[in-house]
Amino acid sequence: MSHGPSAPGVAASAHAHDAPYEPVFTPGSARSKELADLITRYPDKRAALLPALWMVQNDRGWISEAAMMEVGDQLGCTAAYVKGVVTFYTMYHQHPVGKHFIQVCTTSPCLCAGADKVVEAFLEHTGCKELGLTSADGRYTVIEVECLGACGFATPVQINEDYVENVTPEKVPEILAGLP
Amino acid sequence: MGYPHKSHPRETPILSKHFGEPEARTLEGWKARGGYKALAQALHMEPVAIQEIVKASGLRGRGGAGFPTGLKWSFMKIGDGKPHYLCANADESEPGTFKDREIMRWTPHALIEGCAIAAHAIGAETAYIYIRGEFTEPINVMEAALVEARAAGIIGKNAMGSGRRVDVWVHKGAGAYICGEETALMNSLEGKRGNPRIKPPFPAVSGLFGMPTTINNVETLAAVPHILNNGAEWYKAMCLSNPKSTGSKLYSVCGNVAKPGNYEVVMGFSFKEFLYDLCGGPLPGRKFKALIPGGSSVPTITIEEAEATIMDYEGFVAQGTMLGSGGVIVFDDAQSMPRQLARIARFYAHESCAQCTQCREGTAWMTKILERIVAGEGTFEDLDTIFDLSEAMTGKTICVLSDSCGAPVVSGITKFRGEFEALIKGRRSSTVAVGAR
Ligand SMILES: Cc1cc2nc3c(=O)[nH]c(=O)nc-3n(C[C@H](O)[C@H](O)[C@H](O)COP(=O)(O)O)c2cc1C
Ligand code: SF4
Ligand code: FES
């Protein structure tokens, strides 16, 4: 479960805390239609909550209090209820994060393959220095993650949506150089 | 296995036969490999008849507990007038386990077919495949396969022209190991926090949306079409030892081993041959030391115990551990067991949903003590405290996550006590050297 909000960091201004929130599910929008379709899959529309939050995070980069209110309105629950759900799961960002969100698995099977050294290499080469902080240029945030379900390809690293497998410290500069 | 290595001649690739073949992901490619014949047949059978075949096959749940699948299905009261649901558990987050990911990303139609058959067999018109949020690639592959299956009328309002409705949907999780626990999964799917529910009521009585529900692991469901195609006797015959364990099983092997990956062998295979022959033995210059054979939630065993193990549900129990999810974590002589077990405890502390005091406090406390020992600041009393804690954490909580934290740790301390004592003694001598603090 999520242990408190992800650490705040310096972020690209488009995602910043103080920027006004632009609703995702405006009437007639593609997202609005997508959500309406999704709701028909379930006998209770609240079941579309996790998917709706995914849409917001996808479009806005993170889930703000205003977003929680919007999603709550769409699905007939309070913003406080939505917040309770958001804070349970580790993948919803409650603060802006770097353009490339880098998650290194360090759970035991990966640890015994040297995952701790991979974390160090990412912290060094991204300039993030500390876990959970975003680099000064807003490009990177590095965190440790629990088992990614790819333990046979140690060390797996998730960069935004994608897995990169069999990562060693030596490969880190090349991986970073390959990111847009 | 087929991916990332070629299948070993001693494997029995049934579920993994088409791993690594991109064409198997498409509907056409899947049909060319015999896909959807079992479903076509099943849709014209009575649900109870399917349950009976699965019962006779001896198939047991591959998600961890090994509960007989046909028996589980028979708890669903067909014709009670209520909507029934099937949930495919694709939350796969147990450390050491990465087999369901391969099933989904190489053979998505195998899971869809298994879901559709199982749904019909329990009187459900809707199945949800709950996939952990991190699994972007498997989710995309599954979604693409579902689009194809729906467009071809294999699933939907009138599945394969049978007049029966079978809908299958993917539902994406958002990061929480606990959502693999079946009642937490149902809460999560309903748009709630993923807290496990108190049982009873059991899911077959009141599950998803308060309706009768069956939850099965991905691997369990993927085995079902093969059983219908080839018969219960064929499946039952895949058994080298105890007749209560039948069929083929996918093992994920990771850690300090020459060839990590997924391997599929029949029940009753020798663990020694498995480790040294199929998995290539230890890394050059190293020796195997310890294993956690069923995902991180089961007791730790020594390599000597592992070499004496028969790979089936009963065989692992006979060595004081469990088959669990089939996620084999291997540690060699270069690893520090205190460090690895501390990291495992930290996993459980991080993943506890925090509803139960014993679990919330116990997992955190156990982690703190173990990390203290690893840092060279532990005491002999700390070891006793861990044993007491584990006892207080076992059998007393809403779900078994709490028990799972103590299982590998306590057995690990018992079997590798010397490593813990060396760290503790190291502290003592340094204290003496530095003087009284
Ligand atoms: C903490 C916890 C995590 C679990 N995680 C998973 C999981 O990721 N996948 C899974 O199939 N079963 C998992 N299980 C077991 C499920 O609760 C359930 O027994 C299983 O999905 C039933 O399917 P089966 O009968 O086909 O094995 C977990 C159980 C617990 C207590
Ligand atoms: S045992 Fe732990 S994870 Fe399970 S319900 Fe209790 S607090 Fe949550
Ligand atoms: S432990 Fe790292 S992916 Fe499973």
Side-chain angles (χ1 to χ4, degrees):
Chain A
M1 104 182 245
S2 162
H3 285 200
S6 19
V10 190
S13 58
H15 294 172
H17 265 281
D18 46 11
Y21 178 70
E22 225 183 290
V24 171
F25 303 104
T26 47
S29 65
R31 281 300 196 195
S32 179
K33 189 180 172 304
E34 196 182 340
L35 184 60
D37 279 352
L38 205 83
I39 289 171
T40 63
R41 298 180 184 179
Y42 308 98
D44 174 3
K45 68 178 175 182
R46 195 172 289 194
L49 181 51
L50 265 56
L53 291 169
W54 275 121
M55 291 182 209
V56 171
Q57 180 151 309
N58 190 71
D59 295 0
R60 299 289 175 261
W62 63 291
I63 297 172
S64 62
E65 302 263 342
M68 295 179 202
M69 213 172 319
E70 188 195 13
V71 170
D73 283 348
Q74 292 291 320
L75 299 175
C77 36
T78 64
Y81 177 85
V82 177
K83 188 168 192 172
V85 172
V86 168
T87 53
F88 187 87
Y89 300 93
T90 53
M91 294 184 77
Y92 294 130
H93 304 312
Q94 295 165 60
H95 295 278
V97 296
K99 182 176 175 204
H100 301 291
F101 189 68
I102 300 172
Q103 308 188 68
V104 185
C105 173
T106 60
T107 309
S108 179
C110 288
L111 181 64
C112 65
D116 47 341
K117 301 285 185 296
V118 177
V119 173
E120 279 170 25
F122 272 109
L123 286 177
E124 186 194 326
H125 293 286
T126 55
C128 287
K129 297 194 181 76
E130 243 180 88
L131 289 171
L133 294 188
T134 298
S135 59
D137 58 4
R139 268 180 76 78
Y140 307 110
T141 308
V142 182
I143 67 159
E144 283 184 60
V145 69
E146 297 295 346
C147 183
L148 283 172
C151 335
F153 308 95
T155 297
V157 177
Q158 185 165 26
I159 304 183
N160 293 344
E161 299 269 271
D162 300 322
Y163 276 31
V164 189
E165 296 173 346
N166 304 307
V167 177
T168 56
E170 300 72 46
K171 291 187 193 164
V172 169
E174 192 192 321
I175 292 169
L176 292 175
L179 295 176
Chain B
M1 132 162 72
Y3 179 88
H5 314 290
K6 277 208 164 56
S7 281
H8 188 281
R10 298 190 64 192
E11 281 186 73
T12 306
I14 293 167
L15 304 172
S16 58
K17 189 171 176 196
H18 304 297
F19 285 5
E21 296 172 21
E23 317 82 61
R25 290 174 172 169
T26 64
L27 179 57
E28 198 189 336
W30 191 245
K31 281 186 157 171
R33 288 163 178 77
Y36 292 115
K37 272 195 287 193
L39 178 61
Q41 176 199 342
L43 288 168
H44 295 283
M45 290 169 68
E46 283 305 312
V48 176
I50 304 173
Q51 292 174 11
E52 288 306 322
I53 293 175
V54 173
K55 264 188 206 169
S57 75
L59 174 65
R60 292 167 68 177
R62 303 300 197 223
F67 195 84
T69 306
L71 184 61
K72 187 188 260 192
W73 292 1
S74 72
F75 298 152
M76 300 287 283
K77 272 206 194 114
I78 308 287
D80 58 3
K82 294 180 187 170
H84 290 188
Y85 294 103
L86 175 78
C87 295
N89 191 340
D91 193 55
E92 188 162 70
S93 314
E94 175 82 13
T97 317
F98 47 97
K99 62 190 176 67
D100 300 339
R101 174 172 181 249
E102 297 304 299
I103 293 176
M104 291 188 284
R105 69 174 177 159
W106 294 115
T107 59
H109 289 284
L111 178 56
I112 298 171
E113 187 171 8
C115 283
I117 296 170
H120 174 49
I122 60 164
E125 292 188 336
T126 310
Y128 299 104
I129 305 174
Y130 184 100
I131 309 182
R132 65 178 294 183
E134 292 86 348
F135 275 1
T136 316
E137 188 197 352
I139 289 172
N140 291 343
V141 175
M142 286 305 311
E143 292 277 22
L146 282 167
V147 166
E148 271 201 287
R150 234 170 260 137
I154 287 172
I155 51 171
K157 271 190 201 125
N158 178 13
M160 298 189 95
S162 64
R164 300 183 194 276
R165 181 186 194 109
V166 183
D167 285 324
V168 183
W169 305 108
V170 162
H171 194 95
K172 179 179 177 181
Y177 165 68
I178 193 58
C179 290
E181 195 281 336
E182 54 187 18
T183 58
L185 185 151
M186 296 187 302
N187 274 343
S188 179
L189 222 159
E190 290 178 15
K192 299 174 180 157
R193 292 168 69 91
N195 289 326
R197 301 175 183 171
I198 293 172
K199 293 190 260 190
F202 290 96
V205 175
S206 174
L208 189 63
F209 306 114
M211 296 299 156
T213 303
T214 294
I215 298 182
N216 277 124
N217 173 256
V218 167
E219 186 186 354
T220 313
L221 292 166
V224 170
H226 295 285
I227 294 173
L228 289 199
N229 279 333
N230 301 298
E233 288 305 317
W234 164 83
Y235 198 76
K236 235 167 80 174
M238 284 189 278
C239 165
L240 302 172
S241 180
N242 194 307
K244 284 189 199 150
S245 294
T246 62
S248 66
K249 171 81 188 96
L250 271 172
Y251 293 87
S252 308
V253 184
C254 65
N256 305 126
V257 57
K259 286 167 69 186
N262 282 295
Y263 296 87
E264 187 171 5
V265 294
V266 296
M267 286 288 178
F269 204 85
S270 148
F271 205 16
K272 185 174 182 179
E273 289 171 32
F274 180 82
L275 290 168
Y276 290 95
D277 190 3
L278 277 63
C279 307
L283 293 163
R286 306 262 190 87
K287 280 194 195 124
F288 288 149
K289 176 164 77 178
L291 291 96
I292 306 184
S296 65
S297 300
V298 309
T300 308
I301 55 174
T302 63
I303 182 61
E304 291 76 21
E305 288 167 324
E307 287 176 4
T309 301
I310 289 167
M311 299 172 82
D312 59 20
Y313 292 100
E314 297 72 24
F316 282 100
V317 169
Q319 294 299 330
T321 186
M322 284 188 288
L323 187 153
S325 63
V328 179
I329 309 170
V330 187
F331 303 107
D332 69 18
D333 53 355
Q335 292 306 324
S336 151
M337 291 310 288
R339 182 172 185 234
Q340 293 300 333
L341 295 169
R343 186 62 186 85
I344 286 175
R346 175 135 70 95
F347 169 82
Y348 290 99
H350 184 266
E351 301 300 332
S352 166
C353 87
Q355 284 190 104
C356 317
T357 311
Q358 294 92 327
C359 175
R360 183 185 61 240
E361 305 299 324
T363 53
W365 194 3
M366 196 177 281
T367 306
K368 207 170 155 184
I369 296 176
L370 285 164
E371 289 182 348
R372 177 159 82 214
I373 294 174
V374 173
E377 289 161 10
T379 63
F380 286 101
E381 296 76 56
D382 279 343
L383 295 180
D384 299 334
T385 309
I386 291 177
F387 281 79
D388 291 347
L389 261 179
S390 171
E391 200 170 308
M393 287 161 68
T394 301
K396 297 181 180 67
T397 50
I398 297 176
C399 86
V400 297
L401 183 142
S402 183
D403 312 42
S404 301
C405 181
V409 170
V410 162
S411 50
I413 296 178
T414 308
K415 289 165 190 177
F416 297 94
R417 199 174 178 99
E419 290 189 35
F420 288 83
E421 291 187 346
L423 284 169
I424 294 168
K425 278 184 196 142
R427 167 196 185 260
R428 290 265 154 105
S429 53
S430 67
T431 311
V432 172
V434 175
R437 264 194 263 181

